Amino acid sequence: MHATLKTIVLISLGVATAQAFAGPDWDVINRARTAAQLRAASPSTSASKDAMLARCNEMMKQMDSHPAGGSSQKGPSESK
């Protein structure tokens, strides 16, 4: 029984040591970093789209509030 316990402990230590010397898996780390950057970039892109749509809606409301008849759509330099 004592020899079996020593064998199991030595095998476990050998496996742990081998994993420690193997080093990190850089492919997995880089994929995780890329995925985190994409997740971080998505909400900001969505927020900028929402802001742009809000500005566009405000401009459309301003255009709808101007009277359509008689007034020129050109600016002062273009009306000459």
Side-chain angles (χ1 to χ4, degrees), residues 1-13:
M1 174 87 176
H2 190 60
T4 306
L5 183 60
K6 275 186 179 180
T7 306
I8 291 172
V9 169
L10 287 175
I11 290 173
S12 298
L13 287 175

Side-chain angles (χ1 to χ4, degrees), residues 10-78:
L10 287 175
I11 290 173
S12 298
L13 287 175
V15 169
T17 304
Q19 288 177 348
F21 283 124
D25 189 354
W26 290 106
D27 291 333
V28 173
I29 292 170
N30 288 332
R31 276 188 265 141
R33 285 179 181 163
T34 304
Q37 288 173 351
L38 290 175
R39 273 186 254 123
S42 294
S44 65
T45 304
S46 175
S48 65
K49 284 183 181 179
D50 290 342
M52 187 183 342
L53 286 174
R55 284 191 303 248
C56 183
N57 286 335
E58 288 176 23
M59 287 190 291
M60 293 300 285
K61 287 177 187 176
Q62 288 175 356
M63 289 177 66
D64 289 342
S65 66
H66 290 297
S71 63
S72 173
Q73 295 292 329
K74 296 181 180 179
S77 62
E78 295 174 346

